[in-house]
Amino acid sequence: MIHRMKVTALITDQLVYEVKKKAKGKNLTDCIVIALKEWLAMQKLRELNSSLQKNPLKFSASFSAQKARALNRKLT
């Protein structure tokens, strides 16, 4: 079940204009939803980048690009 919330917000005309222009939604609600989803995606990427900076990925000693390619070819 999808829950929806009606929101009243005081947003400058200039910001609304820019969001509508960039989001290219069919209406203002669609544009705001697109903008919020993109903002959330960027925040998640920032969190992931921060996490990877603190704990970088480490390859096992037995890793090789050739083995990875061979495995990928078997899976497709």
Side-chain angles (χ1 to χ4, degrees):
M1 174 184 254
I2 296 176
H3 298 281
R4 297 177 186 211
M5 183 184 303
K6 189 169 187 172
V7 176
T8 300
L10 300 174
I11 306 170
T12 64
D13 291 343
Q14 183 63 31
L15 183 57
V16 170
Y17 172 77
E18 288 184 49
V19 168
K20 286 171 68 175
K21 184 177 171 185
K22 299 287 183 185
K24 297 182 177 141
K26 58 187 173 200
N27 56 43
L28 181 57
T29 299
D30 194 36
C31 291
I32 292 171
V33 169
I34 290 168
L36 288 172
K37 284 181 178 180
E38 288 183 13
W39 182 83
L40 279 174
M42 290 298 297
Q43 295 306 308
K44 289 176 183 180
L45 282 173
R46 284 187 179 139
E47 289 172 8
L48 178 60
N49 284 336
S50 177
S51 173
L52 288 172
Q53 283 178 340
K54 292 174 187 170
N55 300 308
L57 296 175
K58 296 176 184 165
F59 292 101
S60 68
S62 65
F63 174 82
S64 78
Q66 291 80 15
K67 288 180 186 176
R69 280 190 214 103
L71 180 61
N72 283 337
R73 288 184 181 122
K74 285 182 186 177
L75 295 175
T76 56

